[in-house]
Amino acid sequence: MAKARRTLDPYGLLQALERHRVAYVVVGGFARIVQGTEELTHGLDITPSLREENLHRLELALRDVDARRSDGRALSLEPAALAAESVHELSTKYGQLKLVPEPAGTRGYDDLRRAASREPLGRGVRPSVASIGDLARMVSALGDEERLPQLMQLRRLVELERARTRGIER
């Protein structure tokens, strides 16, 4: 078994997911950074589609990155097992990966993919990233005072996006 790195290499994780054509939306800190917030993250959070064929592709991608549950228990990608926990923390050779089947304030993948956008991050990687509005909805639903700065940044980004859109319409 390869030793998991502590440093995040998002390209390694995203390339494995893309190589296996996994349907997912990037959420959490990495998604907020891609959308413009000023923060640091130590892992990648994704909300995968829970359709059977996608979970099979996800299993292959997780095998490629030597993913293991951080708590040492066996990982089950059965929909019921995934839904039983809000977050599944995995250690991989590219850093921490969290599977979040239904982020707070959402109804999961199908809800998030509607407003998500494909973001070109370089190295041929174009993940589907949750929208600024959906990210604000998730942070707000957590109701955590420590996340207030993130929520304020996201709301400001929403305002800037609206102003930009209004300027284009004129």
Side-chain angles (χ1 to χ4, degrees):
M1 179 171 95
K3 176 119 174 99
R5 285 193 220 165
R6 295 205 185 281
T7 303
L8 175 64
D9 175 3
Y11 290 107
L13 291 170
L14 294 168
Q15 287 169 338
L17 293 167
E18 296 292 319
R19 190 169 41 255
H20 290 282
R21 297 182 350 267
V22 177
Y24 65 95
V25 175
V26 177
V27 296
F30 191 82
R32 291 189 302 270
I33 291 166
V34 169
Q35 294 292 13
T37 65
E38 296 175 351
E39 59 185 288
L40 297 174
T41 188
H42 300 287
L44 180 68
D45 303 359
I46 65 167
T47 298
S49 166
L50 299 181
R51 290 182 175 83
E52 185 178 336
E53 66 278 359
N54 193 63
L55 292 177
H56 176 69
R57 291 191 300 267
L58 177 60
E59 182 178 7
L60 296 173
L62 293 177
R63 218 178 281 158
D64 277 3
V65 298
D66 298 328
R68 304 279 183 263
R69 283 183 61 113
S70 297
D71 61 11
R73 295 182 6 227
L75 175 64
S76 171
L77 292 181
E78 293 297 318
L82 286 173
E85 294 180 50
S86 58
V87 178
H88 301 267
E89 292 187 25
L90 308 175
S91 296
T92 78
K93 64 184 179 182
Y94 298 113
Q96 183 183 60
L97 175 66
K98 292 181 183 175
L99 304 180
V100 188
E102 193 170 300
T106 76
R107 292 181 310 280
Y109 173 79
D110 288 329
D111 181 21
L112 294 171
R113 75 179 173 91
R114 292 178 296 112
S117 59
R118 303 271 299 175
E119 298 294 333
L121 302 182
R123 298 188 195 173
V125 174
R126 289 182 44 121
S128 183
V129 178
S131 72
I132 296 168
D134 284 340
L135 291 167
R137 182 168 47 127
M138 288 178 240
V139 170
S140 182
L142 291 171
D144 184 354
E145 262 189 57
E146 291 180 18
R147 296 183 184 271
L148 191 57
Q150 295 168 348
L151 182 58
M152 299 311 293
Q153 285 185 49
L154 288 166
R155 287 185 175 164
R156 179 67 182 138
L157 289 169
V158 168
E159 290 172 16
L160 290 171
E161 185 65 27
R162 284 185 186 145
R164 187 177 71 97
T165 302
R166 280 194 299 261
I168 292 172
E169 291 173 354
R170 291 182 184 161

